[in-house]
Amino acid sequence: MKVVHLCLGSFFPDNYSYQENMLPKFHKQQGHDVEVIASLVTFDKNGKAVLMDKASSYINEHGIPVTRLSYKPGKLNKRFRFFVGFEEALEKAAPDVLFIHGCQFCDIRIVVKYVKKHPDVKVFVDNHADFSNSATNWLSKNVLHKMVWRSCAHKIEPYTTKFYGVLPARVDFLKNVYGLPAEKCELLVMGADDEAVQAAAAPEVRKAIREKYGIGEEDFLIMTGGKIDAWKPQTLLLMEAVQRISNPAVKLLVFGSVTPELKDKLEALADGEKVKYIGWIQAKDSYQYFAAADLVVFPGRHSVFWEQVAAQGIPMLCKEWAGTKHVDIGGNVRFLTQESAEEIQREICRLLDNPEEYGQMRRVAMENGMKTFSYKDIARRAIEG
């Protein structure tokens, strides 16, 4: 079966482990003929979204053909996502199944034309937008999403088997903002690369990371990772909280890019002993780093690392966000509600003082993590509907 992934309303960064990368990877492993048609949006080595120089075709790191399409000339064509050569690329790909990563592109009209011509093609659409990352001002909410992207969603709706939100909040966005039929909208969680989880679980991985940063096996290692910017400044609160904990065995390792306006404060909180900031690491290496941790803390808004860490079987403290509690798979997570260093400190100390509670969190995480967040299983379910 030919499965074509369209990443025209979303990014497609090579050599990353986002959902856009993992579903094609595992569809190929499951025996399907797989191809990706994508925009020019990718990520640089620091995880920042950038545009590739020009259209191209190549084989990616998973042996999958990728066709990159350039935007049609003109600022509005880029904003509303009209592409050069899309109709020809789709005809050439000849899919049996179309998995559309984000319906927010006006050239979805070409998809509609194609599936009208080829009615046996099955269509699935996912959504990565919610009110934490989209529709954050009047124009975006009432014009871009409630008019333009809503129209795109409704054009493809009659031909779509399922619309997937990758968070509960994003299922609600499909129903409430785009007005799509509730019976067609389901949760399809993001997850973790099964192979990377298994490789990182080797005891020598944990030992090597800890030795690299002078962290003993008896130390209680807390870790966090991701961008540190105006959207996620709460990492600094975590650093303050750990600095306040008198127990010398408690250590914190922080990785991720930091914006210039927060860099001085971050460096002041990273003393190199109790709190270490190690800069940006490659996404593929994050599995090994998280595997070395006893506790992972995400004090800011949701990121794909939440599901990854849940899959790796590591207890977490996470910021409470509406529509993101699906990472709690029976008690592996405690949620932070106050956005303060005091609360983070209190929750960490509670686990240190109650090893039986921490042990139960770890057991739940280990038993249920991969059952829920395996990309191998998610990829299979994604095209079953």
Side-chain angles (χ1 to χ4, degrees):
M1 183 165 67
K2 181 67 175 286
V3 181
V4 174
H5 289 260
L6 295 184
C7 299
L8 300 177
S10 65
F11 54 70
F12 183 74
D14 292 310
N15 299 299
Y16 274 77
S17 53
Y18 285 102
Q19 186 237 39
E20 289 86 349
N21 307 94
M22 292 295 103
L23 294 189
K25 171 185 174 176
F26 285 105
H27 284 154
K28 180 178 173 65
Q29 287 192 8
Q30 289 159 7
H32 301 301
D33 182 8
V34 181
E35 185 172 339
V36 175
I37 300 174
S39 71
L40 298 182
V41 183
T42 186
F43 288 174
D44 66 14
K45 63 180 181 179
N46 295 315
K48 181 181 178 182
V50 294
L51 284 183
M52 299 180 77
D53 293 335
K54 60 183 179 180
S56 61
S57 295
Y58 57 94
I59 304 298
N60 75 0
E61 70 274 19
H62 302 304
I64 296 169
V66 177
T67 300
R68 295 274 190 178
L69 302 177
S70 59
Y71 298 101
K72 288 184 176 179
K75 189 174 182 180
L76 287 179
N77 285 328
K78 179 181 175 183
R79 184 70 186 89
F80 294 108
R81 298 165 186 161
F82 292 95
F83 297 89
V84 176
F86 175 40
E87 187 167 6
E88 295 80 1
L90 188 56
E91 287 282 356
K92 183 179 178 182
D96 299 303
V97 172
L98 267 174
F99 196 100
I100 303 173
H101 297 266
C103 62
Q104 297 91 349
F105 64 104
C106 287
D107 259 355
I108 204 161
R109 62 192 173 85
I110 291 175
V111 180
V112 172
K113 179 181 176 181
Y114 184 85
V115 295
K116 281 182 177 180
K117 184 179 175 182
H118 303 277
D120 292 335
V121 175
K122 293 186 75 171
V123 178
F124 299 89
V125 179
D126 76 2
N127 171 54
H128 293 252
D130 62 33
F131 285 112
S132 75
N133 64 5
S134 303
T136 54
N137 59 57
W138 188 92
L139 191 65
S140 176
K141 178 181 178 180
N142 293 289
V143 178
L144 195 58
H145 282 277
K146 287 193 172 182
M147 293 176 65
V148 180
W149 300 146
R150 179 186 173 112
S151 173
C152 291
H154 279 266
K155 285 176 182 174
I156 196 63
E157 184 274 323
Y159 313 97
T160 300
T161 300
K162 288 292 180 184
F163 287 89
Y164 296 124
V166 298
L167 298 175
R170 294 170 186 180
V171 178
D172 293 340
F173 200 88
L174 287 169
K175 294 187 287 188
N176 300 331
V177 178
Y178 295 162
L180 294 168
E183 63 273 14
K184 280 194 173 184
C185 299
E186 290 185 4
L187 177 66
L188 184 76
V189 297
M190 294 178 284
D193 184 333
D194 302 58
E195 295 169 355
V197 171
Q198 184 177 0
E204 59 268 24
V205 171
R206 174 184 171 94
K207 181 180 179 182
I209 295 292
R210 284 177 169 249
E211 286 182 351
K212 182 176 181 180
Y213 296 101
I215 297 162
E217 184 54 38
E218 71 284 356
D219 289 333
F220 188 84
L221 177 58
I222 302 166
M223 196 172 297
T224 194
K227 296 175 183 177
I228 305 163
D229 56 19
W231 292 101
K232 293 184 180 180
Q234 297 90 344
T235 299
L236 302 176
L237 298 177
L238 170 60
M239 297 171 78
E240 290 179 22
V242 173
Q243 287 287 12
R244 295 176 181 180
I245 296 172
S246 58
N247 186 337
V250 177
K251 305 289 176 60
L252 172 65
L253 206 60
V254 179
F255 67 82
S257 60
V258 58
T259 54
E261 60 268 24
L262 296 176
K263 189 173 182 180
D264 288 346
K265 187 171 184 181
L266 179 141
E267 289 179 345
L269 288 166
D271 59 12
E273 293 296 327
K274 195 172 185 66
V275 177
K276 300 176 188 288
Y277 171 64
I278 62 171
W280 179 259
I281 65 171
Q282 293 293 319
K284 60 183 176 62
D285 295 330
S286 64
Y287 287 88
Q288 298 177 28
Y289 278 81
F290 285 130
D294 298 299
L295 177 71
V296 175
V297 182
F298 295 117
R301 59 186 282 184
H302 175 269
S303 82
V304 295
F305 283 145
W306 292 27
E307 288 87 351
Q308 177 183 319
V309 172
Q312 290 188 253
I314 306 163
M316 290 189 286
L317 299 179
C318 295
K319 171 71 175 177
E320 185 175 61
W321 288 94
T324 59
K325 287 193 173 181
H326 64 295
V327 293
D328 184 349
I329 46 178
N332 60 315
V333 179
R334 290 188 58 83
F335 290 98
L336 304 166
T337 62
Q338 298 174 13
E339 198 162 305
S340 69
E342 291 78 12
E343 181 192 27
I344 298 171
Q345 179 185 358
R346 184 170 64 249
E347 290 297 327
I348 293 170
C349 290
R350 172 178 172 164
L351 295 179
L352 292 170
D353 294 340
N354 296 277
E356 68 285 349
E357 181 177 345
Y358 171 80
Q360 176 61 17
M361 290 178 72
R362 183 124 201 161
R363 281 189 293 275
V364 169
M366 292 295 292
E367 290 172 5
N368 298 336
M370 283 306 289
K371 291 179 184 177
T372 308
F373 298 111
S374 155
Y375 259 132
K376 183 183 293 185
D377 184 55
I378 293 166
R380 177 185 51 77
R381 290 187 283 114
I383 56 176
E384 277 186 344

